[in-house]
Amino acid sequence: HAGPQAALRLDARASNVRGAFESARLDAETIAVVDDVMTSGATLREVAHCLCTAGAKDVHCWVIARTPRPQTRHAGALSGVP
């Protein structure tokens, strides 16, 4: 069982979910995975990897919403100075 993703930095999320999912053997099936909100994509990547390893022919990941990608800010914006 993986811990909550929300509290983790983006670069730590992939290792948090690695090996967290299992699947029964799939017989070259096409699978659709639906996620409500995608942040880093780590969970979807790990689920897709698990399903492909189990024998899925294709995995389609559908996302309802995506969080904005982090933007690089200059030092003034980080410190509250315009």
Side-chain angles (χ1 to χ4, degrees):
H1 171 51
Q5 293 283 83
L8 297 176
R9 292 186 345 239
L10 292 178
D11 60 348
R13 292 177 179 215
S15 61
N16 185 54
V17 294
R18 193 165 294 121
F21 302 100
E22 295 180 1
S23 173
R25 183 77 194 140
L26 301 170
D27 186 26
E29 298 177 48
T30 297
I31 306 290
V33 178
V34 179
D35 193 2
D36 58 349
V37 178
M38 183 178 89
T39 303
S40 69
T43 301
L44 287 173
R45 275 191 299 276
E46 187 63 21
V47 168
H49 174 76
C50 173
L51 294 170
C52 288
T53 300
K57 177 180 142 192
D58 289 304
V59 177
H60 299 270
C61 297
W62 299 341
V63 177
I64 306 303
R66 190 194 193 308
T67 59
R69 293 178 188 223
Q71 295 180 356
T72 304
R73 301 177 188 196
H74 60 75
L78 294 176
S79 65
V81 176

